C-alpha cells in the first residue's frame, strides 16, 4: 500500500533505489521540484510519484516493479497487483452496522493483544472527538492503562473541557496531560528536528510527535487518534452520486481540498493554476468510476501521505506506534458497502452509538464545544443538508443584527 516509501532515481540507463531518499541525492542533485512545492502549499502533500527533490521519485503503492530494456534504454512499468474499486453492493444498513461493530472490535483486539505484551499501557491523544474518544473507551474496556494528552487554546477551550469530562468516565486513565497552544509552542514545532526530513508531505502532527517523545517514560506504545476511523467514509457526500466523469472529481478536489491560502494567488496566475489542475488529473486513477477514483485519491494522499506517513517517518522516536487497520477482511467489507452506508460516516457513527458504546453510553452523551450530542443518522439527505443549513444560519446570525433576523 505504500505506507513505507521506496524512492528511486532514474539516470543514464540506471535505476538507483533506496528507502532513504538522502542516499539518492548524489545521483539526483539538490534542485527543488517547483510543481511539487506548489502542491505542498496547496494540499500539504505532493501528488503522483514526485517528491520535493527533482529527479527523486517514489514508487506507487500496491504495485510490482517491472524493468525491461526498450531500444537500449531501461524502462520501468509499475504493475498493480491490487486496486481499490468499490462494488457498492446492496445491503441492509442495520445488519451492516452490527457486522461493522463486530469486525471493528475484532480488529482492535490485535492492538490490545500487542499492548498487553508491551506493558499493558498506551499513550493516546484525547481531543474529546468521536474518534479519540472511541479509542480511549475501547482501551478502558479492555483494561489497558491510558496516558492521555490533550491540546487546547486555554483552560476553557472546548477540547480541554470535553477531554476532561471523557477522562472522568474512564476507569483506567493513569494520567491526563493538558498542553496549551501558544507562540512558544509554535516556535518549538518550527525548530524541532522531529520529521524535518520529509519530501512528500508537510510537517503535520509535529506537536503531537514532540509530546509523544516527552511522554515516553509513561509507556512504550503510542496510538494515533485516527487509528479507529480509517475508512469511515467521512468524505463521501450526496452530490457525488451524480458524478459522471473525473472532471467533476477534479472540481470537487479544487473546491474542498486546496487550501484557501493559495487559491487567490492561483486564480491570478493562470499558468500555476493550470499546472495544479493537471497534477490533480494525473494523480487520479483513470480505470474506475469517479467515486472509486476519488476514494482511491483520498486514501493515497490525504490518508497515506498526510495523516499516516508522518507517524511512520518518526522512526527515530522512542515509542512503537500502531497503524490503522489494513486487514484483508476489513478492506473487503469496506469495498462491498452500499453507497448509502458510506455517506456522512453513517455506518461508522451508527455502529458506535448502537453497539460500540453499549457498555458506557454516558461517554457518547458528552457534548463537544456546546454542540448537540451525536445522534443516529437515519436519512442521509436530511442529515447532510440539515447541517449545511444550520451552518449557513449561524453565519447569518453572526453577520447581522438581531433586529434583521426576522427578514
Amino acid at each position: 500500500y505504500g505506507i513505507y516509501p521506496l524512492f528511486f532515481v532514474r539516470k543514464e540507463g540506471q535505476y538507483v533505489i533506496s528507502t532513504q531518499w538522502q542516499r539518492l541525492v548524489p545521483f539526483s542533485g539538490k534542485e527543488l521540484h517547483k510543481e511539487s512545492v506548489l502542491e505542498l502549499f496547496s494540499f500539504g502533500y505532493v501528488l503522483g510519484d514526485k517528491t520535493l527533490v527533482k529527479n527523486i521519485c517514489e514508487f506507487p503503492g500496491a504495485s510490482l516493479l517491472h524493468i525491461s530494456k526498450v531500444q537500449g534504454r531501461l524502462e520501468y512499468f509499475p504493475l498493480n497487483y491490487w486496486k481499490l474499486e468499490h462494488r457498492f453492493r446492496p445491503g441492509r444498513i442495520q445488519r451492516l452496522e452490527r457486522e461493522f461493530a463486530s469486525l471493528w472490535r475484532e480488529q482492535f483486539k490485535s492492538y490490545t493483544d500487542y499492548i498487553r505484551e508491551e506493558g499493558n499501557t498506551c499513550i493516546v491523544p484525547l481531543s474529546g472527538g468521536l474518534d479519540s474518544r472511541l479509542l480511549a473507551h475501547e482501551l478502558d474496556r479492555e483494561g489497558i492503562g491510558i496516558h492521555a494528552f490533550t491540546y487546547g487554546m486555554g483552560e476553557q477551550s472546548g477540547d480541554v473541557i470535553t477531554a476532561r469530562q471523557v477522562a472522568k468516565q474512564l476507569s483506567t486513565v493513569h494520567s491526563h496531560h493538558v498542553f496549551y497552544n501558544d507562540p512558544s509552542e509554535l516556535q518549538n514545532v518550527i525548530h524541532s528536528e522531529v520529521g524535518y526530513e520529509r519530501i512528500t508531505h508537510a510537517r503535520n502532527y509535529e506537536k503531537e510527535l514532540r509530546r509523544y517523545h516527552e511522554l515516553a517514560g509513561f509507556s512504550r506504545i503510542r496510538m494515533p487518534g485516527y487509528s479507529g476511523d480509517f475508512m469511515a467514509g467521512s468524505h463521501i457526500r450526496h452530490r457525488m452520486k451524480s458524478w459522471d466523469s473525473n472532471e467533476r472529481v477534479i472540481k470537487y478536489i479544487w473546491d474542498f481540498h486546496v487550501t484557501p491560502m493559495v487559491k487567490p494567488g492561483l486564480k491570478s496566475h493562470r499558468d500555476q493554476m493550470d499546472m495544479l489542475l493537471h497534477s490533480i488529473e494525473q494523480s487520479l486513477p483513470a480505470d474506475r468510476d469517479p467515486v472509486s477514483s476519488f476514494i482511491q485519491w483520498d486514501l493515497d494522499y490525504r490518508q497515506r501521505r498526510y495523516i499516516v506517513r508522518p507517524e511512520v517517518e518518526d522512526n527515530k522516536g522512542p515509542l512503537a506506534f500502531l497503524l490503522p487497520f489494513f486487514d484483508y477482511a476489513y478492506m473487503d467489507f469496506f469495498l462491498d458497502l452500499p453507497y448509502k452506508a458510506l455517506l456522512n460516516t453513517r455506518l461508522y457513527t451508527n455502529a458506535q452509538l448502537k453497539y460500540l458504546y453499549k457498555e458506557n453510553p454516558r461517554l457518547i452523551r458528552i457534548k463537544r464545544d456546546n454542540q448537540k450530542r451525536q445522534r443516529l443518522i437515519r436519512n442521509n439527505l436530511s442529515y447532510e443538508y440539515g447541517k449545511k443549513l444550520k451552518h449557513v444560519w449561524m453565519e447569518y446570525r453572526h453577520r447581522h443584527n438581531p433586529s434583521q433576523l426576522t427578514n
Side-chain angles (χ1 to χ4, degrees), residues 211-370:
R211 296 307 182 185
Y212 281 132
H213 285 234
E214 293 176 18
L215 299 173
F218 291 94
S219 177
R220 296 168 60 184
I221 306 292
R222 58 187 171 96
M223 179 174 282
Y226 57 76
S227 298
D229 77 328
F230 183 67
M231 294 185 174
S234 55
H235 291 265
I236 308 303
R237 296 292 178 256
H238 221 277
R239 78 192 73 177
M240 297 179 181
K241 293 180 76 174
S242 64
W243 285 354
D244 53 6
S245 67
N246 272 357
E247 281 73 20
R248 304 285 294 276
V249 186
I250 294 168
K251 184 180 186 307
Y252 183 86
I253 292 172
W254 166 266
D255 289 341
F256 296 100
H257 286 265
V258 175
T259 176
M261 179 181 72
V262 302
K263 279 186 178 179
L266 287 172
K267 288 177 179 177
S268 60
H269 293 81
R270 188 68 201 189
D271 57 332
Q272 300 289 316
M273 183 174 173
D274 289 341
M275 184 190 297
L276 184 64
L277 292 173
H278 178 72
S279 292
I280 297 171
E281 181 182 9
Q282 292 296 307
S283 66
L284 285 169
D287 58 345
R288 61 206 76 177
D289 67 274
V291 176
S292 289
S293 182
F294 170 73
I295 295 173
Q296 178 75 66
W297 185 92
D298 187 59
L299 287 174
D300 277 346
Y301 300 109
R302 188 187 64 85
Q303 284 269 14
R304 177 169 65 101
R305 281 194 171 175
Y306 191 59
I307 298 179
V308 182
R309 183 71 62 80
E311 300 281 357
V312 173
E313 295 199 349
D314 182 39
N315 52 15
K316 301 182 182 70
L319 300 168
F321 73 98
L322 298 171
L323 283 169
F325 302 147
F326 287 96
D327 183 87
Y328 287 135
Y330 202 75
M331 195 74 80
D332 287 341
F333 177 85
F334 179 66
L335 293 178
D336 280 339
L337 289 175
Y339 193 86
K340 60 183 178 181
L342 289 167
L343 277 171
N344 307 306
T345 69
R346 180 175 179 177
L347 182 77
Y348 180 62
T349 300
N350 289 2
Q352 287 187 63
L353 296 173
K354 287 183 180 179
Y355 303 105
L356 296 176
Y357 282 106
K358 204 168 185 179
E359 294 87 352
N360 193 350
R362 288 177 297 181
L363 265 182
I364 202 67
R365 296 188 192 121
I366 297 172
K367 299 177 183 179
R368 186 181 185 189
D369 296 338
N370 296 318

